[in-house]
Amino acid sequence: MHAVQSPGQPVADEPTRSRKWGPLLLKAVLSVLAISYLIWRTDWPAVGRVMSRARVEWLLAAVLAYNSSQITSTFRLKTMLRGIGIQAPFRYLLPLYYTGMAYNLFLPGGIGGDGYKAVRLRNKFGVGYRLVLSTLLLDRLLGLLAILVLGCLAAGFSTSVQTLLPVPPGIGPPWIGLIAAGFVVVVAYIGVRLVFRRFKTVFWRGVAVALGVQTLQLLGCTCLLMALRVSSHLVDYLLTFLASSIAAALPLTIGGIGMRELVFVQMSQWLPIRTPDALATSLLFYLVAAVSSLQGFWVKQD
């Protein structure tokens, strides 16, 4: 006979517990695999030599460019929130944004940066949680759109990509990149009109700000390359950086650890970029992001 559970006895919710910890465990396993692969494939003494020659003034410029991109990201979030009727002041959103960055990077097993921001915005402005989450999702998608647009343009100006991909006669590669970028934007606009209709009035302004964000991040990456004294094939390094930004945004590892580095290592096999320089750039960018995100733990929230 099966034992009958008394009404007052708590019921163990094993499926719920599995749903909670399963994704985190999978991320932990993938993180270990990514790090192990990098340790195995990387000439770490060579990476150390590259990083040891870094110029401090360019590193500081990279920190400034990165934080400028995050401040601009806050303006993008402010723009998207207008689509659901939230007129949030910038002085409220900026510390909220930095706290979300810190949660995403250092507390991946908890509520997460987007979840934290959604809860705070719901409590502050009385808007539905799902509606706020959909706004934050579209905010992220606009960032991805900007990366794709700039990636198409960078690929169009990369002589290395031109040798890898067939180019139709009579059409220059830069024009192909421009056409591809325009196609991506049009598809995104159609998608917003179909799925996120309430945001169609703020779409173009959101795209413009998102392009500004990613341009500042490219500027930060350029500063890191200058710090490492890399002066050739800059377009290929920046194209690799954009591809790594997409990989790092995917929820596959804890805090995106290892994903950006994996892309840099892999693309160094296809493009004329040096693996030690590429990996050093990736590690320095992660360090800049981590140091900048730490502010989120002590900024004052209204």
Side-chain angles (χ1 to χ4, degrees), residues 98-112:
Y98 268 88
T99 303
M101 287 167 51
Y103 276 38
N104 279 333
L105 199 60
F106 297 107
L107 302 175
I111 189 173

Side-chain angles (χ1 to χ4, degrees), residues 267-281:
M267 290 193 69
S268 67
Q269 310 302 315
W270 302 329
L271 299 177
I273 59 178
R274 295 185 66 251
T275 301
D277 291 341
L279 195 52
T281 303

Side-chain angles (χ1 to χ4, degrees), residues 23-283:
L24 179 59
L25 180 60
L26 179 60
K27 285 185 179 183
V29 171
L30 292 176
S31 299
V32 171
L33 290 175
I35 294 172
S36 300
Y37 178 80
L38 289 170
I39 292 175
W40 172 58
R41 285 292 305 270
T42 302
D43 182 0
W44 289 105
V47 175
R49 289 192 295 271
V50 170
M51 296 183 72
S52 66
R53 70 189 187 200
R55 295 154 64 178
V56 176
E57 66 275 16
W58 283 108
L59 292 177
L60 294 176
V63 172
L64 178 61
Y66 179 82
N67 282 275
S68 298
S69 75
Q70 300 311 305
I71 293 172
T72 309
S73 293
T74 306
F75 280 109
R76 185 183 68 201
L77 177 59
K78 181 179 174 65
T79 298
M80 303 316 298
L81 289 173
R82 289 176 182 169
I84 58 174
I86 293 180
Q87 299 292 335
F90 180 78
R91 65 180 180 276
Y92 172 79
L93 289 178
L94 184 59
L96 180 67
Y97 200 91
Y98 268 88
T99 303
M101 287 167 51
Y103 276 38
N104 279 333
L105 199 60
F106 297 107
L107 302 175
I111 189 173
D114 285 344
Y116 172 81
K117 287 185 287 188
V119 170
R120 292 299 301 265
L121 289 168
R122 180 196 62 185
N123 295 341
K124 177 78 172 178
F125 299 99
V127 180
Y129 182 74
R130 290 181 179 273
L131 185 57
V132 177
L133 271 183
S134 67
T135 306
L136 296 175
L137 172 61
L138 182 57
D139 182 63
R140 279 182 173 267
L141 291 176
L142 286 183
L144 176 61
L145 172 63
I147 293 174
L148 291 174
V149 168
L150 293 176
C152 290
L153 296 177
F157 285 95
S158 170
T159 56
S160 305
V161 173
Q162 295 169 25
T163 60
L164 294 174
L165 300 178
V167 178
I171 302 180
W175 281 106
I176 295 178
L178 186 61
I179 292 171
F183 176 77
V184 169
V185 173
V186 170
V187 170
Y189 180 66
I190 294 173
V192 167
R193 288 188 65 91
L194 293 176
V195 182
F196 299 95
R197 279 185 243 180
R198 67 171 66 240
F199 297 99
K200 62 183 179 182
T201 58
V202 297
F203 173 80
W204 293 110
R205 184 172 181 179
V207 169
V209 179
L211 286 171
V213 171
Q214 296 306 324
T215 300
L216 285 169
Q217 296 232 350
L218 285 178
L219 178 60
C221 180
T222 303
C223 290
L224 292 177
L225 292 170
M226 294 296 101
L228 298 175
R229 307 171 196 273
V230 176
S231 57
S232 60
H233 301 289
L234 290 180
V235 173
D236 294 320
Y237 280 99
L238 295 179
L239 179 60
T240 302
F241 172 78
L242 290 169
S244 73
S245 296
I246 296 176
L250 298 176
L252 298 178
T253 61
I254 295 178
I257 188 171
M259 294 303 298
R260 190 183 295 274
E261 291 74 21
L262 281 175
V263 172
F264 268 93
V265 170
Q266 189 58 46
M267 290 193 69
S268 67
Q269 310 302 315
W270 302 329
L271 299 177
I273 59 178
R274 295 185 66 251
T275 301
D277 291 341
L279 195 52
T281 303
S282 178
L283 292 173

